[in-house]
Amino acid sequence: LILDNCEHLIAQVRIVSAAIIQDAPQVHVLATSREGLNIRGERVFRMPSLPTDAAVMLFTDRALAANVHFSLTEENAPFVEEICHRLDGIPLALELAAARVKVLSPQQLARKLDERFRLLTGGDRSALPRQQTMRALIDWSYDLLSEDERAVFRKLAIFAGGFTLETAAAVCGDERIDEMALLDLLSSLVDKSLVQADLQGGGTRYRLLESMRQYAHEKLAESGEGYTTAAAHATAFVALAEELDRRYENTPDASWYAQLEPEIDNWRAALEWTLGTEGDVRLGQQLAGALNDVWSVVAPAEGRRWIRTALESVDALTAPTVVAKLNLAEAYADSLLGQHKAADAAAQAALAKYREVGDELGVARAQRSSGRSLVLIGRVEEGEAILHQALLAARTLRAPKLTGLTLEGLAHARAYSEDVPAARAYYQQAIAASNAAGAELQSARTMSNLAECEFRAGDAATAVALAREALLLRRTSNDIRGVANTLCNIAGYLVALHRVDEARAASREALELARDTQAEVLKIFTLQHLGAIAACQSDYVRAGQLLGYVNVRLEGLQAMREYTEQHEYEQVVAVLADVLGKAELQNLINQGGEWSEDHALSEAMLV
């Protein structure tokens, strides 16, 4: 016996089905509904969304039915896949979208999916009304919810990238709905297929399919609860960011990153609202600063944009502790992006604020950041003195990750002073301290810097071996920006060893990753390596022009070449001047200095 579309008569179907099963056990009932009947002997099979391959097949089939001239091509296939992904593989949504190929290309369809409820209409006129438009389909389910279920469903739209029971309770709970009541409501929404539940490790994470989320967003806006819900969401994620910030020093990286990774999109959504025109700027300032270590790992360039937006809103009412965190976060981001003068200025501002509020750990972190930046801009003695103060404080405060970072800074200082044995010793201490703290990414970065030290000492082959070991660790940890940085260094070492083909491969991958992570200085260094490779291949004109472009861009970013890049630059300039003459070389450098970024990139890819 097949009972189709039972959701609006679920109680009656439950009674009838239970009676049939009891009195006629030889009868099997196949019922379709958005939720199970919840009777004895029932086996529930949830119909998942279509996987991408099947979704593309369905879309293509229905598009061909709507337009006999349609075909899946190399050009439109990526857009068809995007449509299928953004429509979550929902068959009705795919059929409604495919019907639009009569008047829109897949590219145009993909661009219009933000207006999906106006776009996804005009289904089979012989079907039930609720199956003729995407909105009608979800209206049907929404109208069958209780008032509490509707309230929770529309508030869940505020989440981006999913949520846990705890964060849902913080946002959707009130004096009537505590965490246990919310669990019941959330379970009901999962049973009704309006919320997805994903088991992850030892816990459960929930999410709304994108079509459901857009619909719930509309309902949230209509309810007048948008501001209070967004404020509750931002407050919950500020609290989470501050808790992770407090635990960073004494939590192994693997455990710490596992907690932050699922929430990146929620933090982005909270920042967009708090630092927008109608949000709570105080919460935004707190959040941008509390995410300091998160941005350092995930996206320094993006983090710096949020941090600077927050700093622009600072006024006399902003708490000094918040200003200090924002300044320190800016210093970290600037340093990771290779802009060490700016990093020192931000770190000094943070240091003054931390001293003002008496935060010893904050003082030590700001000292470490300032000291390292000073070393890297050539003020070695001054930076080294500050780093020794930071190391004493880090050890006194039992801050293991900060201890490792500060030892690494002291290693830089010794390397810049040409004291290679002392630099090696500090690097090894830094690696040991980082490993003991469970700071795998920090350890990999220090190993990469030890490779730089060996190159400075004249041993390029050892530098390559160490850098490749660090590269493997960074790939394993999915540290994309770190991978780009290490590849860039490897390219420089390989150029020095005249291993041109390997250097080209490393440079091209580094360039692609640097562009993806918006690491501007790293991108410029990589272009220089490609210019050096051009010189190795007797492509002297392009080499000189690329050097000119690099010079202008570094000056604009107020960035300095690091040892490997400076050594390479001097070698290439000497070769070009010898071959071309100083006047012609300067002419080529001037030409490259006028290039646009797009032109420089296209020329570099011809190397």
Side-chain angles (χ1 to χ4, degrees), residues 357-436:
V357 299
D359 184 335
E360 293 182 357
L361 181 60
V363 166
R365 294 184 80 183
Q367 286 176 324
R368 197 284 309 179
S369 183
S370 173
R372 180 179 185 274
S373 297
L374 288 169
V375 168
L376 293 176
I377 60 176
R379 294 161 61 182
V380 178
E381 186 175 343
E382 185 181 353
E384 195 169 18
I386 295 175
L387 285 166
H388 278 296
Q389 295 175 36
L391 180 62
L392 177 62
R395 285 173 166 164
T396 302
L397 295 167
R398 297 182 179 178
K401 292 183 180 179
L402 180 59
T403 297
L405 284 171
T406 310
L407 286 165
E408 181 192 44
L410 287 165
H412 291 338
R414 290 295 84 213
Y416 274 58
S417 300
E418 307 299 335
D419 185 355
V420 174
R424 284 194 190 107
Y426 272 127
Y427 279 127
Q428 294 293 352
Q429 290 178 53
I431 291 170
S434 299
N435 286 338

Side-chain angles (χ1 to χ4, degrees), residues 438-457:
E440 293 92 351
L441 289 183
Q442 192 169 299
S443 179
R445 187 183 66 200
T446 304
M447 189 176 296
S448 184
N449 286 322
L450 176 56
E452 190 85 344
C453 177
E454 295 298 343
F455 182 74
R456 180 186 288 269

Side-chain angles (χ1 to χ4, degrees), residues 17 75 80 93 136 139 141 177 190 258 274 387 423 517 602-603:
S17 297
E75 182 181 357
V80 171
D139 277 339
S141 292
I177 302 176
V190 170
T274 55
L387 285 166
T517 57
S602 64
E603 289 289 332

Side-chain angles (χ1 to χ4, degrees), residues 111-178:
R111 287 197 298 268
K112 290 182 175 294
L113 283 183
D114 287 338
E115 305 173 72
R116 66 185 61 192
F117 294 119
R118 294 175 61 191
L119 178 70
L120 303 182
T121 61
D124 184 352
R125 298 304 180 192
S126 66
L128 292 171
R130 66 175 181 273
Q131 296 172 352
Q132 293 181 16
T133 72
M134 193 65 187
R135 182 184 296 280
L137 176 68
I138 305 178
D139 277 339
W140 168 258
S141 292
Y142 185 77
D143 291 343
L144 293 173
L145 298 177
S146 69
E147 283 302 320
D148 282 346
E149 287 172 333
R150 290 180 192 176
V152 169
F153 176 66
R154 61 180 175 257
K155 288 180 181 179
L156 293 177
I158 205 68
F159 289 99
F163 52 92
T164 63
L165 174 61
E166 292 74 21
T167 50
V171 173
C172 303
D174 55 31
E175 62 280 358
R176 289 188 312 103
I177 302 176
D178 61 14

Side-chain angles (χ1 to χ4, degrees), residues 62 124 137 149 201 233 277 325 394 420 511 527:
R62 303 322 300 151
D124 184 352
L137 176 68
E149 287 172 333
H233 176 267
T277 56
K325 281 188 175 182
V420 174
L511 181 58
L527 289 174

